[in-house]
Amino acid sequence: MPTVRYFAAAAEAAGTDEEQIEGTTVGEVLAAARRAHGDRLADVLERCSVLHAGRYVDEESTPVAAGDTIDVLPPFAGG
């Protein structure tokens, strides 16, 4: 299973910093996270950047495999 790491507001909304979620694409994993954590996380995810294996992802069809890491990064203030 892929590991999802949540940061800042995403971690607060999910109630955890990290968890393993089943899915074969980034979209499947994020959909499962939305189902597991509800509207609060869904709202935060709308504003987040997503990285897979350290690279920015803009296609939810991006494949993931067991052992992969998906990072969920909300916007950060400052520079």
Side-chain angles (χ1 to χ4, degrees):
M1 265 188 276
T3 298
V4 180
R5 298 188 306 181
Y6 302 101
F7 295 86
E12 186 176 326
T16 186
D17 292 336
E18 183 177 299
E19 64 184 337
Q20 291 186 320
I21 300 180
E22 289 190 45
T24 59
T25 66
V26 169
E28 287 179 7
V29 172
L30 295 179
R34 286 181 189 97
R35 286 191 301 276
H37 300 292
D39 291 340
R40 190 167 176 208
L41 180 62
D43 290 343
V44 172
L45 285 175
E46 294 297 319
R47 298 182 302 276
C48 288
S49 294
V50 176
L51 289 91
H52 171 249
R55 293 191 168 175
Y56 176 75
V57 174
D58 59 359
E59 293 292 327
E60 289 199 348
S61 61
T62 300
V64 296
D68 285 0
T69 300
I70 297 170
D71 293 324
V72 178
L73 304 164
F76 293 95

